[in-house]
Amino acid sequence: MAFLSLGVAGYAAFVYGVLPPGSLVHSDMKVTYNTHATGIYTHVFGALFALLLGPWQFSMRLRASRPLLHRWMGRLYLGIGVLLGGIAGLYMAFHAFGGIVARTGFGLLAVLWLSTGLLAYLAIRAGDVASHRRWMVRNFALTFAAVTLRLWLPGSVASGIAFEVAYPVIAWACWVPNLVVAELAFNRDRVAA
Ligand code: HEM
Protein backbone atom coordinates (compact mmCIF):
# COMPACT_ATOMS: atom_id res chain seq x y z
CA MET A 1 0.00 0.00 0.00
CA ALA A 2 2.82 2.38 0.96
CA PHE A 3 4.65 1.48 -2.26
CA LEU A 4 1.58 2.21 -4.46
CA SER A 5 0.78 5.41 -2.53
CA LEU A 6 4.32 6.71 -2.97
CA GLY A 7 4.23 5.72 -6.65
CA VAL A 8 1.08 7.77 -7.33
CA ALA A 9 2.42 10.66 -5.22
CA GLY A 10 5.59 10.60 -7.36
CA TYR A 11 3.51 10.56 -10.55
CA ALA A 12 1.43 13.54 -9.38
CA ALA A 13 4.47 15.53 -8.18
CA PHE A 14 6.31 14.98 -11.46
CA VAL A 15 3.39 15.54 -13.85
CA TYR A 16 1.99 18.62 -12.05
CA GLY A 17 5.35 19.96 -10.81
CA VAL A 18 7.22 19.70 -14.10
CA LEU A 19 4.79 19.42 -17.03
CA PRO A 20 2.11 21.98 -18.05
CA PRO A 21 -1.34 21.34 -16.40
CA GLY A 22 -3.26 18.38 -17.81
CA SER A 23 -0.42 17.13 -20.04
CA LEU A 24 -1.32 13.45 -19.64
CA VAL A 25 -5.13 13.60 -19.48
CA HIS A 26 -8.04 13.79 -21.97
CA SER A 27 -8.07 17.04 -23.99
CA ASP A 28 -11.37 18.17 -22.33
CA MET A 29 -9.80 17.68 -18.89
CA LYS A 30 -6.75 19.66 -19.99
CA VAL A 31 -9.04 22.61 -20.85
CA THR A 32 -10.69 22.31 -17.40
CA TYR A 33 -7.31 22.16 -15.60
CA ASN A 34 -6.10 25.25 -17.43
CA THR A 35 -9.31 27.12 -16.59
CA HIS A 36 -9.25 25.99 -12.93
CA ALA A 37 -5.47 25.87 -12.44
CA THR A 38 -5.63 27.04 -8.79
CA GLY A 39 -8.23 24.37 -8.00
CA ILE A 40 -6.34 21.47 -9.58
CA TYR A 41 -2.91 22.53 -8.22
CA THR A 42 -4.28 23.05 -4.69
CA HIS A 43 -5.99 19.67 -4.94
CA VAL A 44 -3.00 17.74 -6.28
CA PHE A 45 -0.32 19.27 -4.01
CA GLY A 46 -2.60 19.28 -0.95
CA ALA A 47 -3.73 15.66 -1.46
CA LEU A 48 -0.09 14.65 -2.03
CA PHE A 49 0.51 15.13 1.72
CA ALA A 50 -2.19 12.57 2.49
CA LEU A 51 -0.70 9.97 0.14
CA LEU A 52 2.85 10.58 1.36
CA LEU A 53 2.11 10.64 5.10
CA GLY A 54 -0.90 8.31 5.44
CA PRO A 55 0.73 4.87 5.10
CA TRP A 56 3.26 5.48 7.93
CA GLN A 57 0.53 6.48 10.40
CA PHE A 58 -0.63 2.85 10.65
CA SER A 59 2.80 1.59 11.81
CA MET A 60 2.39 0.42 15.42
CA ARG A 61 6.16 0.63 15.91
CA LEU A 62 6.31 4.29 14.83
CA ARG A 63 3.31 5.23 16.98
CA ALA A 64 4.86 3.56 20.03
CA SER A 65 8.43 4.86 19.59
CA ARG A 66 7.71 8.39 18.21
CA PRO A 67 4.23 9.47 19.41
CA LEU A 68 4.99 13.16 18.79
CA LEU A 69 5.97 12.43 15.18
CA HIS A 70 2.70 10.49 14.71
CA ARG A 71 0.79 13.50 16.06
CA TRP A 72 2.52 16.02 13.77
CA MET A 73 2.28 13.82 10.71
CA GLY A 74 -1.41 13.35 11.54
CA ARG A 75 -1.94 17.12 11.74
CA LEU A 76 -0.30 17.61 8.34
CA TYR A 77 -2.20 14.63 6.88
CA LEU A 78 -5.54 16.01 8.03
CA GLY A 79 -4.88 19.76 7.85
CA ILE A 80 -3.17 19.94 4.46
CA GLY A 81 -3.87 16.57 2.79
CA VAL A 82 -7.50 15.99 3.62
CA LEU A 83 -8.80 19.51 4.40
CA LEU A 84 -7.02 21.48 1.67
CA GLY A 85 -6.88 18.61 -0.86
CA GLY A 86 -10.50 17.67 -0.09
CA ILE A 87 -12.01 21.16 -0.40
CA ALA A 88 -10.15 21.68 -3.70
CA GLY A 89 -11.18 18.12 -4.76
CA LEU A 90 -14.82 19.00 -4.02
CA TYR A 91 -14.46 22.16 -6.11
CA MET A 92 -12.90 20.16 -8.99
CA ALA A 93 -15.70 17.57 -8.71
CA PHE A 94 -18.16 20.20 -10.02
CA HIS A 95 -16.03 20.46 -13.17
CA ALA A 96 -15.03 16.79 -13.55
CA PHE A 97 -15.05 15.03 -16.90
CA GLY A 98 -17.81 12.43 -17.37
CA GLY A 99 -20.98 14.39 -16.60
CA ILE A 100 -23.30 14.10 -13.62
CA VAL A 101 -22.35 10.49 -12.78
CA ALA A 102 -18.64 11.27 -12.47
CA ARG A 103 -19.31 14.58 -10.71
CA THR A 104 -21.56 12.92 -8.12
CA GLY A 105 -19.03 10.10 -7.60
CA PHE A 106 -16.09 12.46 -7.02
CA GLY A 107 -18.27 14.92 -5.05
CA LEU A 108 -19.48 12.25 -2.63
CA LEU A 109 -15.91 10.94 -2.30
CA ALA A 110 -14.76 14.45 -1.32
CA VAL A 111 -17.58 14.91 1.23
CA LEU A 112 -16.87 11.51 2.81
CA TRP A 113 -13.12 12.17 2.80
CA LEU A 114 -13.64 15.47 4.66
CA SER A 115 -16.22 14.09 7.09
CA THR A 116 -14.31 10.89 8.02
CA GLY A 117 -11.24 13.10 8.61
CA LEU A 118 -13.25 15.40 10.88
CA LEU A 119 -14.73 12.44 12.80
CA ALA A 120 -11.25 10.91 13.24
CA TYR A 121 -9.96 14.24 14.59
CA LEU A 122 -12.89 14.73 16.97
CA ALA A 123 -12.52 11.15 18.23
CA ILE A 124 -8.85 11.60 19.15
CA ARG A 125 -9.52 15.02 20.76
CA ALA A 126 -12.10 13.21 22.90
CA GLY A 127 -9.49 10.55 23.80
CA ASP A 128 -11.34 7.74 21.99
CA VAL A 129 -8.42 5.91 20.38
CA ALA A 130 -10.45 2.93 19.05
CA SER A 131 -12.92 5.19 17.25
CA HIS A 132 -10.07 7.43 15.95
CA ARG A 133 -8.40 4.35 14.46
CA ARG A 134 -11.59 3.15 12.73
CA TRP A 135 -12.31 6.60 11.21
CA MET A 136 -8.68 6.90 10.08
CA VAL A 137 -8.80 3.48 8.38
CA ARG A 138 -11.96 4.60 6.53
CA ASN A 139 -10.34 7.93 5.70
CA PHE A 140 -7.19 6.33 4.29
CA ALA A 141 -9.30 3.82 2.33
CA LEU A 142 -10.72 6.95 0.62
CA THR A 143 -7.27 8.56 0.19
CA PHE A 144 -6.29 5.31 -1.53
CA ALA A 145 -8.90 6.10 -4.23
CA ALA A 146 -6.09 8.11 -5.88
CA VAL A 147 -4.26 4.78 -6.32
CA THR A 148 -7.21 2.56 -7.26
CA LEU A 149 -8.39 5.12 -9.85
CA ARG A 150 -5.02 4.81 -11.53
CA LEU A 151 -5.28 1.00 -11.48
CA TRP A 152 -8.81 0.99 -12.95
CA LEU A 153 -7.87 3.41 -15.76
CA PRO A 154 -5.24 1.26 -17.52
CA GLY A 155 -7.44 -1.79 -16.79
CA SER A 156 -10.34 -0.21 -18.68
CA VAL A 157 -8.08 0.88 -21.56
CA ALA A 158 -6.64 -2.66 -21.81
CA SER A 159 -10.16 -4.14 -21.97
CA GLY A 160 -11.03 -1.80 -24.87
CA ILE A 161 -13.74 0.21 -23.07
CA ALA A 162 -14.00 3.81 -24.33
CA PHE A 163 -12.63 6.37 -21.84
CA GLU A 164 -15.92 8.35 -21.97
CA VAL A 165 -17.80 5.22 -20.84
CA ALA A 166 -15.27 3.99 -18.30
CA TYR A 167 -14.48 7.26 -16.51
CA PRO A 168 -17.91 7.91 -14.86
CA VAL A 169 -17.94 4.29 -13.58
CA ILE A 170 -14.36 4.63 -12.30
CA ALA A 171 -15.34 7.81 -10.40
CA TRP A 172 -17.33 5.42 -8.14
CA ALA A 173 -15.28 2.22 -8.53
CA CYS A 174 -12.15 4.01 -7.25
CA TRP A 175 -13.58 4.38 -3.72
CA VAL A 176 -16.73 2.31 -3.00
CA PRO A 177 -14.87 -1.08 -2.94
CA ASN A 178 -12.12 0.49 -0.77
CA LEU A 179 -14.69 1.37 1.91
CA VAL A 180 -16.29 -2.09 1.67
CA VAL A 181 -12.87 -3.73 2.20
CA ALA A 182 -12.25 -1.48 5.25
CA GLU A 183 -15.63 -2.47 6.77
CA LEU A 184 -15.01 -6.19 6.05
CA ALA A 185 -11.62 -5.91 7.77
CA PHE A 186 -13.32 -4.44 10.89
CA ASN A 187 -15.84 -7.31 10.92
CA ARG A 188 -13.08 -9.91 10.55
CA ASP A 189 -11.18 -8.36 13.46
CA ARG A 190 -14.37 -8.35 15.58
CA VAL A 191 -15.02 -12.06 14.81
CA ALA A 192 -11.36 -12.93 15.51
CA ALA A 193 -11.35 -11.04 18.84
C1 HEM B 1 -9.92 11.15 -1.89
C2 HEM B 1 -10.44 12.28 -2.30
C3 HEM B 1 -10.21 12.84 -3.69
C4 HEM B 1 -11.15 13.47 -4.45
C5 HEM B 1 -12.58 13.73 -4.09
C6 HEM B 1 -10.52 13.83 -5.70
C7 HEM B 1 -11.14 14.49 -6.74
C8 HEM B 1 -10.56 14.80 -7.94
C9 HEM B 1 -11.22 15.40 -9.06
C10 HEM B 1 -12.69 15.78 -9.10
C11 HEM B 1 -10.33 15.53 -10.06
C12 HEM B 1 -10.61 16.09 -11.45
C13 HEM B 1 -11.07 14.94 -12.33
C14 HEM B 1 -11.60 15.43 -13.68
O1 HEM B 1 -11.27 16.53 -14.12
O2 HEM B 1 -12.35 14.67 -14.31
C15 HEM B 1 -9.06 15.02 -9.58
C16 HEM B 1 -7.90 14.96 -10.31
C17 HEM B 1 -6.70 14.60 -9.79
N1 HEM B 1 -6.45 14.16 -8.51
FE1 HEM B 1 -7.81 13.85 -7.09
N2 HEM B 1 -9.21 13.42 -5.66
C18 HEM B 1 -8.98 12.82 -4.44
C19 HEM B 1 -7.77 12.32 -3.97
C20 HEM B 1 -6.55 12.53 -4.58
C21 HEM B 1 -5.28 12.21 -4.01
C22 HEM B 1 -5.04 11.60 -2.63
C23 HEM B 1 -4.34 12.54 -4.94
C24 HEM B 1 -2.86 12.38 -4.74
C25 HEM B 1 -1.98 13.21 -5.14
C26 HEM B 1 -5.03 13.05 -6.11
C27 HEM B 1 -4.44 13.47 -7.29
C28 HEM B 1 -5.11 13.90 -8.40
C29 HEM B 1 -4.46 14.18 -9.68
C30 HEM B 1 -2.97 14.02 -9.99
C31 HEM B 1 -5.47 14.62 -10.54
C32 HEM B 1 -5.34 15.05 -12.02
C33 HEM B 1 -5.70 13.90 -12.93
C34 HEM B 1 -4.48 13.12 -13.34
O3 HEM B 1 -3.48 13.71 -13.78
O4 HEM B 1 -4.51 11.88 -13.22
N3 HEM B 1 -6.37 13.05 -5.85
N4 HEM B 1 -9.23 14.58 -8.29
Side-chain angles (χ1 to χ4, degrees):
M1 239 181 213
F3 178 74
L4 288 170
S5 299
L6 296 184
V8 170
Y11 154 85
F14 173 72
V15 173
Y16 288 84
V18 177
L19 307 179
S23 293
L24 297 186
V25 293
H26 189 282
S27 55
D28 288 0
M29 290 161 81
K30 185 176 179 160
V31 172
T32 307
Y33 294 175
N34 278 293
T35 315
H36 303 282
T38 308
I40 191 70
Y41 279 109
T42 308
H43 169 61
V44 170
F45 287 100
L48 253 178
F49 275 76
L51 266 189
L52 285 174
L53 298 174
W56 318 111
Q57 294 296 85
F58 296 100
S59 157
M60 244 151 36
R61 207 177 339 151
L62 192 73
R63 280 201 311 269
S65 63
R66 310 282 300 274
L68 199 63
L69 184 65
H70 174 81
R71 227 171 272 164
W72 273 105
M73 281 170 62
R75 283 173 190 151
L76 292 175
Y77 173 94
L78 283 176
I80 298 181
V82 178
L83 188 61
L84 201 62
I87 290 173
L90 181 59
Y91 171 79
M92 290 308 295
F94 286 96
H95 308 284
F97 180 80
I100 186 73
V101 176
R103 288 172 186 175
T104 318
F106 285 130
L108 193 57
L109 168 61
V111 169
L112 291 175
W113 203 34
L114 289 163
S115 36
T116 51
L118 177 66
L119 288 165
Y121 179 73
L122 293 177
I124 202 61
R125 297 304 300 174
D128 187 346
V129 175
S131 169
H132 169 69
R133 191 170 173 275
R134 273 197 307 276
W135 284 116
M136 271 314 206
V137 168
R138 291 182 182 116
N139 186 264
F140 189 72
L142 296 173
T143 303
F144 205 68
V147 173
T148 40
L149 179 127
R150 284 157 191 92
L151 297 176
W152 283 115
L153 276 177
S156 69
V157 171
S159 54
I161 303 170
F163 181 73
E164 289 76 4
V165 176
Y167 198 68
V169 179
I170 291 174
W172 291 86
C174 69
W175 63 271
V176 176
N178 300 14
L179 268 193
V180 172
V181 169
E183 294 305 320
L184 288 177
F186 294 146
N187 283 341
R188 192 201 50 194
D189 289 352
R190 223 170 283 144
V191 170

